[in-house]
Amino acid sequence: MGASPAHRAAPRRARAGLAAQFVLQFLYIPLGIALVFAFLFMMVAGGGPGGGDAGDFVGAVGGIATASISWRRLRVEWHGRPEDWEQYTEGLLRKRFASAEKNSGWEPSRLPPGGVRLAVSYLWRPNYRGLAPIRVEQLARRHGWSVDWGRSSSAKGELCFYRLVPPPAQAGVPDPAGPQPAPGAPWGPLRCRVLLPLFTLVFWPRVRILELLRSPRLYERHLRRHLAKLFRTELARERTRDNYRYDSVGRILRRVAVKPRHYRGAGAWAVLRIAAEHGWTLDHSFPADPSGTLHLCRLEERTRRSR
C-alpha cells in the first residue's frame, strides 16, 4: 500500500483468461496473417484503403498477431511465483541485451566521435508481470544494463534499458605506409570467385568484372575513384545535430563505409593506404574486419558556419 508503481508488480491474470488466450491464439494469429495478405492483395488490385486508414489497419492486425503467449510464459503466469518470473524475465533480458549490444547504436547520428555507443533495448509488461519494475532493473544490472526511467512508460508497462558500450579493441591493423600484406594474409587481397560474380553481374557489373579479371591494378584504380566519391559526398553533407553527434568542443566525425566487393582484389590494406592520402583513417568505433565492411572516419573541427 502506498508504494510507487516502480515498486509494485502488476496484478495476476485470471487463469481462465490465460487458458483462453493460449487456445484462441491458434485461431486469431492465422486469421490475422490471412487478413494481412488479403489487405495487401486489395492494395495491389487497387481496391484497398490508403493513407492513414492503411497504416491503422496494418497496425491493428499486427497487434492481434503479436498478442501470443508461449507455453513457458503460460506456466510462469499460471503459477505466478516470483522466482519463476525472475528466471523467465532474466532469460529474456539476456537474449535482448546480447542482440542490442550487437545491433543497436551504430547510426552516425547517435554515435559520438569518441565511439561510445548507446545500446538500447525494451521489455513489455507481459514479460515481467509478476515482478516490480525496480526488481527488473536489479536483474538488468547483473548484465551491466540500467533502466531509463525517463523513456519508460508506466502506463503502457514498457521498460527502456540502456548501456554505454565502449569502442571495440582493434588489434592487428597494419600501418597504411607499411608493406603490402600478401594475398590470403589478413588485410591482403581476398580470394576472387567465379560463380558469384557471374550470377550477380547484372547488379554490380563494374566490380564483378573486376573480380573476374583479378587485376590488383584495375581494382586499385576503381578503389581510388570509389573512395573519392564517398569522401566528396560525405563532406558535402550538412553538419546538423540530426545527422551527427558533437563532442564537447563542437567537433563531428565524418563516417563512410566501404563494402568488400570494392577492394577484394586489392585488399583492405589498399583501402587504408588510399584513405590516408585523403586524411581518413579506420573508424575506431567499429570492429576492424579486413574481409567485411570497412568503416573510415575523419574528424572535422568546428567552423564558423557550423551550428
Side-chain angles (χ1 to χ4, degrees):
M1 296 294 292
S4 66
H7 291 79
R8 293 198 306 265
R12 286 187 59 179
R13 295 180 58 192
R15 289 182 172 179
L18 289 171
Q21 180 184 2
F22 182 76
V23 173
L24 293 178
Q25 69 183 345
F26 297 102
L27 297 177
Y28 65 71
I29 291 181
L31 178 61
I33 295 174
L35 288 175
V36 170
F37 279 104
F39 173 79
L40 293 176
F41 176 79
M42 292 173 59
M43 291 292 294
V44 173
D53 294 337
D56 294 341
F57 177 82
V58 173
V61 174
I64 294 175
T66 56
S68 61
I69 181 171
S70 66
W71 173 249
R72 185 183 178 193
R73 201 184 97 201
L74 175 66
R75 289 185 299 168
V76 172
E77 291 210 50
W78 191 271
H79 297 290
R81 293 189 291 262
E83 57 271 22
D84 293 340
W85 271 110
E86 288 189 8
Q87 185 177 6
Y88 173 78
T89 301
E90 189 169 13
L92 280 179
L93 290 177
R94 279 196 299 266
K95 294 179 181 178
R96 299 197 179 188
F97 291 164
S99 176
E101 289 178 14
K102 179 181 178 182
N103 301 314
S104 72
W106 295 110
E107 302 87 347
S109 59
R110 299 183 180 182
L111 193 59
V116 178
R117 283 190 298 122
L118 177 64
V120 178
S121 185
Y122 296 88
L123 191 70
W124 290 88
R125 180 182 288 129
N127 293 316
Y128 68 89
R129 175 178 295 276
L131 300 175
I134 198 70
R135 178 55 182 158
V136 179
E137 182 182 36
Q138 293 172 355
L139 297 178
R141 288 189 179 277
R142 294 179 181 177
H143 305 277
W145 286 69
S146 301
V147 174
D148 187 343
W149 296 107
R151 298 179 60 182
S152 300
S153 173
S154 58
K156 297 180 180 179
E158 179 187 47
L159 293 179
C160 175
F161 303 88
Y162 73 93
R163 183 183 184 187
L164 297 177
V165 183
Q170 293 184 340
V173 179
D175 183 356
Q180 180 180 8
W187 300 90
L190 302 175
R191 181 178 60 86
C192 291
R193 303 153 301 186
V194 176
L195 293 180
L196 183 61
L198 289 175
F199 290 146
T200 59
L201 185 64
V202 65
F203 300 106
W204 303 287
R206 175 175 295 179
V207 294
R208 293 317 190 198
I209 291 175
L210 284 175
E211 188 169 358
L212 293 172
L213 294 176
R214 305 189 179 191
S215 171
R217 180 178 58 85
L218 294 179
Y219 255 109
E220 182 168 340
R221 182 185 301 176
H222 161 74
L223 189 57
R224 286 187 176 277
R225 290 196 299 263
H226 180 67
L227 289 180
K229 181 180 179 181
L230 287 180
F231 296 156
R232 285 196 305 268
T233 302
E234 174 59 30
L235 292 174
R237 290 184 66 196
E238 184 180 0
R239 46 179 295 168
T240 65
R241 295 194 179 275
D242 292 334
N243 294 333
Y244 303 97
R245 287 284 303 277
Y246 289 71
D247 66 7
S248 59
V249 294
R251 299 176 300 181
I252 63 170
L253 203 63
R254 299 282 187 177
R255 289 183 165 100
V256 298
V258 186
K259 299 293 185 180
R261 60 176 177 265
H262 294 289
Y263 66 81
R264 176 170 291 275
W269 172 83
V271 178
L272 302 184
R273 179 169 57 85
I274 297 173
E277 296 173 1
H278 294 265
W280 291 70
T281 61
L282 194 66
D283 194 337
H284 56 277
S285 307
F286 296 81
D289 183 4
S291 62
T293 299
L294 288 179
H295 297 269
L296 305 173
C297 68
R298 176 175 170 176
L299 189 64
E300 186 174 283
E301 302 286 344
R302 182 199 299 266
T303 62
R304 292 182 180 180
R305 296 181 59 183
S306 64
R307 295 182 294 175

